[in-house]
Amino acid sequence: MGWREADRLADVAFGEVALQATYAFRQGNPVPPKDGKGMVARSRRRVTQSKTLIAVLITFLNLGAATLLRLGPAARVHLVPATMPNGLYQAGVLTGLFGVEVALLWWTGIQVVPTLVASGAIAVLEPLPIDRTMLRRIAALVFLRLFDLPAAVVLVGTPLVVGLALGPWAGVAAVPACLSAVAFALALSLLTSRFFVRRIQGTRAGGGGTLLRWAYLLLWLLPAFGLITFATASPPFFRALATLAPSSGPASSPAFLALYPLSLAVWPPIAAGGGGALDVGGLALAIAAAAGAGYTALAGISALWLYRAVPDVGAVPPRAPLAGPGTTFALRPQRPPWAVLTKDLRLASRTPGYAFLILLPLLDSVALGFVTYAGAPGTAAAGGIALGAVVSAALLATFFAPAFFALEVIAQSYGRTLPIASRTMALGKVTLVGAIYLAAGGIVLAITAARIPAPLLFVTFVAAELPAVVAAGLLELTILFRWARSRGLPVTNLYAGTWNVLLAAVPGVAVAVAPLLTFPLLGVAGMAAVALVELAAVAPLVLARRAS
Amino acid sequence: MGPAGRDVPLSVVGLTIDYGERRAVDGISLEVRPGEIYGLLGSNGAGKSSTIKAIVGLVRPTAGRVLAFGHDAIEDGLRAKEVLGYVPETALLYEALTPREFLEFVAGVRRLEPTVASERLRTYAAAFQLGGELEEPIATLSNGTRQKVLVIAALLHAPRLLVLDEPLNSLDPRSVRIVKELLVRFVRSAGRGVLLSTHTMEIAQELCSRVGILDRGVLRAEGTLPELRERSRRGDASLEEVFLRLTRQDEGLAEAVASLDGP
C-alpha cells in the first residue's frame, strides 16, 4: 500500500470530515428530512465552495500586492516616505502579503481543525489493520485537503504574481517565503487546536479560570490578527523599514531584517533588481540571508512535525483540571436572552474560532487607538483615525451575528429541545454584538480621549451607529433563522458555511454602512435618524411573536 | 382540544416521518396517560428515536400530530417544550461548558428561580453522587456522568412529561437504580407521564405500565404485558418472548443461534 492507497482512504476520511463540518451529526444534529440522499455530495460541495472563497480572497490579495509592486515611486508617496528605496518598498509590500496569507490560512485552520478532531475520521481507522506509516500518510493527506485550494493559491499563485510584477527570477525567489507561509500556518493551526483541547477546553469554571482562558486565547491568537494588524500598522512599519537605507538618514538596526516574513520578502526585489536594490548594506543583507535560511529550515521542521503529529490530533485528551475549591450547588439562572449571551461568551472563551471574532474588533481598536495616540494631538487626522476605528468595528460586527448563530451548531440537538424562541436567541446574540461594538468604541475613547479634537462628537458618533449595528445583526439572524426553518440546516461551522455567512452578511453590511455614508452629508443627527429608521424597520421582523 | 386533552401527558396521532424516500415512521398513534410509564420498544432502526425526536421538536414530521398536555408540539413547540423534560440517547452537550454552567443555562431558559434551581440541583447531585465534576468541562467527563447531567437537566424544571430515549445505557448500577426510582416517584404525582424508549426488555417489564411495540416504523401492538401475552397467545411468556413473537423475529431465531457454533 503506497501513497495512492493512502489517497484513496484519505478521500473517504475527508468525506466524513466534510459531512460533519456541514451537518454536525456527531454533535447530535438529526438528518434533515429533505437532504437524505444527496447529503454526502452536498457536504463535499459546500466545503469546496468555502475553500474556493478563501482561495479567491487570497487571489485578490495577490493581485492587490502586484498592483502595489507595479506602482511607480510617484504613486506611492502617500503610503511610504519619498526617500525609501524601491526595493525596500517592494519588500514591505511582500511582507504584508506573506503575513496576511499566514493569517488567513491559520484562521481557516482554527475554524476547521476542531471539526477534524470531533469527526473522529482518523480515529476510526486506527483499530483497522493499517500500519503506522500508512496512517500517517492518510492523516497528512486529510489535513492537507482542509487547506488545499487556498494553500495552492499561496504556493503557485503568489510566485506567479510576484514573477509577473517583478520578473521571473523574483517569482522563483518568492517560493521559500510561500512554502514557509503554508508550513507555518498549518503547523500553527494544529498547535493551536492541540493547545485548545489541552489547556483551554480543560480549564475549570470560575473567575480565575475564565480570565486564564481569555489570556491564553489572546496570547495564542494574536499573530492570527495579521491582516488587521498589518492594515493598521502599515504606515509605522514602512517608516521603520525606510530607515534601514543609509540614504534615508540615521539607519535603524539591521537586525530588523531578521523579522519574519521580512527576511524572506527581501529576496524577490533583490532577484529583480540586484544586491543594491534595497540599499541596506552588506551586514543587513547577511542578517536577512541567515534569518531567511533559518525560517526556511524551521518551515521544513514544521512540515515534518506536522507529518508526525497529525495522526494523533484526535487522541489528545483535555488535561484534567486541577482540584478546585469546594463544590457549590448554587445556580444563578438569568433571563433567557442573558442566559444565551452568557452561554455564548462561555463557549467562545473555550473556542478559539469564536474568541477570535470577539477579540478582533477589540484588538483593532487598541491598535488604531494607539496609532491615534501616537499621532499629532488634537488634529483632524487623529479624529479621523479614531472614527475609522469605530467604522471598522461596526463593519466587523456585521459578521458576528452569523458567527454567533453558527455557535448554535454545538449541542444543537439538545438546545433545540429547550423552550427558547428564535427571537430570544436573536436578542441574546444581538446584545453581545452591540456590547462588543460599544466595548471597541470605549477602548478607542479611553486611549485617545486627550488626543482627539472633539471627544463628544466621537461619543455621539458611536451612539448614532449603534442602532444600525443592532439592526444589521437582527436582519442577519432573521435570514439565518428562516433558512434554518425552511431548509432544515444552515446551522453549521464557519468553515463549511462560509457561503451562508457571506450571503446573510451582505444585507447586514448594507444596513451598517448606510448611516456611515450619511455622516459626511447630514452629520451625526442625520446618521442617527437613518440608523433608528433601519432598526424600526428590521426589529418587528425578529421580535414579532410569529417569528418565534 | 377539549379539557380532557389537556390532561393527557402525550398524544401522538398518525405520526409519519420520511427521510428523503425512506419512511422511518409510518402513521403511528399512541397515548401516554396520566400516572403512566409508557415503554416504546423496538429493534434497531424500528423508528423509536425518530418518534421521540418528533415529540421533542428535533424532527418535523411528514404528517401527524403530537400533543403534550394539549399543546401541539409542531405548531406550538415552545409551549410543548415547557412542559416536557427530555433525556436524549447520546449525551451530546455543550462540551466546553461545565455541568453547572450548562444547568445554569437550562435553568435560565426555563426561567427558574435561583433558589428553586439550586435546591433541585443539590438534591439530584447528591442522589447521583456528583460533586467536583460539576465544575469540570463536560468534555472531560465520562459518558455516565454526562448522562447523569442530562437526567438532572430534564428534571430541573419539574416537568409534567418526561421523554427518555434509552436513558440507562451508560449508567452504573447505582445510578440505574436511582433513575428507576426517580421515574416511579415521578409518575406518582398527579397527572404526570413518562415515555421511555428502550430495547432492554427487562427494564420495560419492570417499569412500564403499558408498552408499544414498534417494528419497521409501524406500531405492531400496544397494551399491558398481560394484554400483549394474550395477543401473542403466550400465556406465561416474558416480554422478550412476546416482543420477538409480535415482531416475527422469533422466526428462524433457533436456527440462527444454532449456527453460531459453526465458525
Side-chain angles (χ1 to χ4, degrees):
Chain A
M1 291 202 291
W3 280 98
R4 189 182 292 256
E5 179 64 4
D7 187 51
R8 191 183 67 79
L9 291 170
D11 186 57
V12 176
F14 184 75
E16 176 64 14
V17 178
L19 192 73
Q20 295 302 332
T22 307
Y23 291 96
F25 293 130
R26 285 185 196 272
Q27 279 149 325
N29 193 57
V31 178
K34 290 178 186 167
D35 270 13
K37 262 192 171 172
M39 61 188 178
V40 175
R42 196 170 295 120
S43 61
R44 280 182 183 264
R45 225 170 20 243
R46 285 182 65 169
V47 166
T48 305
Q49 277 173 358
S50 292
K51 287 193 290 192
T52 307
L53 281 170
I54 299 165
V56 168
L57 180 60
I58 297 175
T59 303
F60 275 120
L61 288 169
N62 274 325
L63 295 174
T67 309
L68 288 174
L69 290 172
R70 295 289 293 175
L71 281 178
R76 59 182 172 83
V77 288
H78 295 296
L79 183 66
V80 297
T83 52
M84 187 176 194
N86 203 36
L88 265 186
Y89 161 75
Q90 289 166 343
V93 170
L94 289 173
T95 299
L97 178 64
F98 297 139
V100 169
E101 286 177 340
V102 172
L104 268 175
L105 287 176
W106 188 6
W107 183 86
T108 306
I110 59 177
Q111 296 299 334
V112 72
V113 173
T115 302
L116 171 66
V117 177
S119 74
I122 307 298
V124 164
L125 299 172
E126 284 185 359
L128 300 175
I130 298 173
D131 66 54
R132 191 76 190 151
T133 307
M134 179 56 89
L135 203 62
R136 272 193 216 291
R137 288 177 181 176
I138 295 167
L141 289 171
V142 171
F143 190 74
L144 281 177
R145 278 180 182 225
L146 299 175
F147 304 87
D148 52 10
L149 283 177
V153 172
V154 174
L155 292 173
V156 180
T158 303
L160 205 65
V161 164
V162 173
L164 287 171
L166 300 179
W169 288 113
V172 173
V175 169
C178 296
L179 284 169
S180 305
V182 172
F184 287 151
L186 268 55
L188 284 167
S189 298
L190 189 60
L191 208 60
T192 316
S193 300
R194 277 164 49 124
F195 182 80
F196 153 68
V197 171
R198 283 188 62 77
R199 287 295 183 91
I200 296 173
Q201 210 176 44
T203 52
R204 294 177 73 93
T210 307
L211 203 65
L212 185 71
R213 279 199 306 279
W214 281 104
Y216 274 144
L217 284 166
L218 189 64
L219 180 72
W220 277 84
L221 296 178
L222 206 53
F225 292 102
L227 180 68
I228 205 82
T229 308
F230 187 77
T232 53
S234 55
F237 170 75
F238 275 104
R239 276 199 296 275
L241 198 60
T243 62
L244 283 170
S247 57
S248 304
S252 60
S253 167
F256 190 52
L257 274 173
L259 290 177
Y260 176 83
L262 177 59
S263 55
L264 290 165
V266 297
W267 299 108
I270 291 173
L278 272 64
D279 187 22
V280 291
L283 177 62
L285 277 183
I287 288 172
Y295 289 127
T296 308
L298 189 62
I301 293 167
S302 300
L304 279 176
W305 174 79
L306 270 173
Y307 181 63
R308 292 203 189 98
V310 165
D312 300 326
V313 72
V316 185
R319 176 179 286 184
L322 299 171
T327 305
T328 171
F329 297 103
L331 293 180
R332 291 187 295 277
Q334 297 161 305
R335 304 285 297 169
W338 290 105
V340 172
L341 188 154
T342 308
K343 182 259 296 174
D344 282 357
L345 268 178
R346 282 172 168 165
L347 287 173
S349 79
R350 297 184 177 106
T351 315
Y354 295 103
F356 182 92
L357 287 163
I358 291 177
L359 295 171
L360 182 65
L362 303 184
L363 285 178
D364 181 43
S365 297
V366 171
L368 281 172
F370 278 113
V371 169
T372 312
Y373 187 83
T379 61
I385 295 173
L387 291 185
V390 178
V391 170
S392 69
L395 295 180
L396 285 171
T398 57
F399 291 97
F400 297 161
F404 293 134
F405 179 79
L407 201 55
E408 286 308 306
V409 74
I410 302 167
Q412 66 168 310
S413 67
Y414 193 84
R416 281 169 56 197
T417 68
L418 294 172
I420 185 162
S422 300
R423 63 175 181 279
T424 310
M425 199 86 89
L427 274 177
K429 292 177 188 302
V430 163
T431 306
L432 185 54
V433 170
I436 295 169
Y437 164 73
L438 286 178
I443 287 171
V444 178
L445 186 64
I447 298 173
T448 63
R451 295 274 173 158
I452 51 179
L456 189 62
L457 171 70
F458 177 84
V459 171
T460 50
F461 184 90
V462 171
E465 176 63 9
L466 179 64
V469 170
V470 171
L474 286 174
L475 182 62
E476 291 165 340
L477 286 166
T478 306
I479 293 168
L480 290 166
F481 277 118
R482 289 203 174 164
W483 284 349
R485 270 200 296 275
S486 61
R487 296 187 198 169
L489 185 90
V491 184
T492 181
N493 68 26
L494 292 179
Y495 178 76
T498 312
W499 187 241
N500 280 337
V501 168
L502 285 180
L503 283 181
V506 168
V509 170
V511 167
V513 162
L516 298 172
L517 293 177
T518 59
F519 173 67
L521 300 170
L522 303 171
V524 173
M527 184 182 164
V530 171
L532 285 169
V533 166
E534 286 180 330
L535 184 59
V538 170
L541 294 174
V542 182
L543 305 181
R545 195 157 180 83
R546 288 186 65 190
S548 64
Chain B
M1 179 55 56
R6 292 203 185 92
D7 293 334
V8 177
L10 181 67
S11 177
V12 175
V13 184
L15 185 72
T16 300
I17 301 169
D18 293 334
Y19 294 116
E21 289 170 11
R22 191 173 74 83
R23 177 149 291 184
V25 177
D26 192 2
I28 70 164
S29 296
L30 59 87
E31 192 174 88
V32 177
R33 298 168 187 162
E36 183 174 74
I37 299 178
Y38 183 101
L40 195 58
L41 308 185
S43 316
N44 299 331
K48 302 189 297 294
S49 289
S50 293
T51 302
I52 282 187
K53 282 175 181 165
I55 291 168
V56 299
L58 278 174
V59 168
R60 195 171 178 87
T62 313
R65 291 184 83 191
V66 175
L67 302 170
F69 286 100
H71 302 297
D72 193 315
I74 298 150
E75 300 304 325
D76 189 13
L78 287 184
R79 288 290 170 84
K81 287 171 187 177
E82 280 170 5
V83 297
L84 68 82
Y86 167 54
V87 179
E89 181 181 17
T90 315
L92 296 157
L93 297 159
Y94 296 99
E95 302 261 321
L97 299 184
T98 67
R100 202 168 60 74
E101 290 170 342
F102 170 68
L103 293 169
E104 215 160 64
F105 168 65
V106 172
V109 167
R110 293 195 177 278
R111 298 167 191 270
L112 297 184
E113 289 298 321
T115 47
V116 174
S118 302
E119 194 47 45
R120 287 182 186 151
L121 172 60
R122 184 186 302 279
T123 304
Y124 294 128
F128 285 119
Q129 298 181 315
L130 289 179
E133 297 95 332
L134 292 174
E135 304 297 337
E136 294 172 15
I138 290 170
T140 66
L141 302 179
S142 69
N143 284 338
T145 307
R146 292 173 190 219
Q147 195 70 12
K148 292 175 194 174
V149 173
L150 277 172
V151 172
I152 295 174
L155 291 166
L156 206 57
H157 60 297
R160 293 158 68 202
L161 168 66
L162 267 181
V163 179
L164 306 104
D165 194 357
E166 306 281 2
L168 306 176
N169 273 356
S170 314
L171 296 177
D172 54 57
R174 184 182 186 281
S175 302
V176 167
R177 178 67 188 274
I178 295 280
V179 172
K180 284 179 183 173
E181 281 298 323
L182 275 171
L183 295 182
V184 170
R185 286 162 194 251
F186 180 83
V187 292
R188 274 190 204 147
S189 293
R192 290 175 168 180
V194 172
L195 177 70
L196 170 70
S197 155
T198 182
H199 50 226
T200 312
M201 299 298 144
E202 293 79 6
I203 290 167
Q205 190 163 348
E206 182 185 346
L207 287 176
C208 298
S209 330
R210 289 191 307 138
V211 295
I213 294 177
L214 262 182
D215 180 35
R216 282 165 281 184
V218 177
L219 195 66
R220 297 277 176 216
E222 188 187 39
T224 61
L225 181 55
E227 286 169 351
L228 292 176
R229 278 179 180 145
E230 192 177 326
R231 188 162 172 187
S232 66
R233 295 181 197 138
R234 296 215 170 172
D236 56 350
S238 67
L239 183 57
E240 182 180 89
E241 289 166 323
V242 168
F243 173 82
L244 292 173
R245 179 69 182 265
L246 290 174
T247 57
R248 295 187 175 178
Q249 292 185 51
D250 56 346
E251 293 168 7
L253 181 63
E255 291 81 355
V257 172
S259 72
L260 294 176
D261 292 330

